[in-house]
Amino acid sequence: RLVLRAERDTVAPLVLGFSDIATVHANGRPIMRGHARYTQDLPRQEGVIGLHQGVAWLPLRRGDNEVLVQVSDDFGGWGVMGRLPGGYGVELVSTP
């Protein structure tokens, strides 16, 4: 769970790496769901987390916004990482 403060109404990217399944919510609304499960068949996925697995375009209002990344596990553990690029007038205010 993150609180992001936006200088103005904007749409900002949250670049994500996750395993196995991630759902991103912005201000209570689901905006993205992605799968990065370990698979042996085509396409083979090693289950390694990297910042190439998804981008959630966050519709943010001016002021404080709550972003929740819900992660679930299919096999072998779970994890999540993210990056909020600069230039969108958004700052991280808090994480629990």
Side-chain angles (χ1 to χ4, degrees):
R1 185 179 308 256
L2 309 169
V3 175
L4 302 177
R5 184 166 294 146
E7 293 176 357
R8 62 189 178 287
D9 290 355
T10 189
V11 178
L14 175 61
V15 182
L16 292 171
F18 56 90
S19 177
D20 293 328
I21 302 165
T23 304
V24 179
H25 301 261
N27 296 316
R29 296 181 53 213
I31 60 164
M32 179 226 164
R33 181 173 171 89
H35 301 268
R37 299 179 179 130
Y38 172 83
T39 58
Q40 291 185 355
D41 55 353
L42 296 175
R44 182 174 176 90
Q45 294 187 70
E46 299 293 332
V48 177
I49 299 171
L51 290 174
H52 62 279
Q53 292 168 311
V55 176
W57 288 91
L58 305 173
L60 303 175
R61 313 180 292 252
R62 181 178 181 210
D64 290 354
N65 297 266
E66 180 184 59
V67 177
L68 175 69
V69 181
Q70 181 181 16
V71 182
S72 60
D73 176 41
D74 244 3
F75 168 78
W78 65 272
V80 64
M81 61 193 280
R83 180 172 55 89
L84 190 63
Y88 291 87
V90 177
E91 67 175 318
L92 176 65
V93 176
S94 69
T95 62

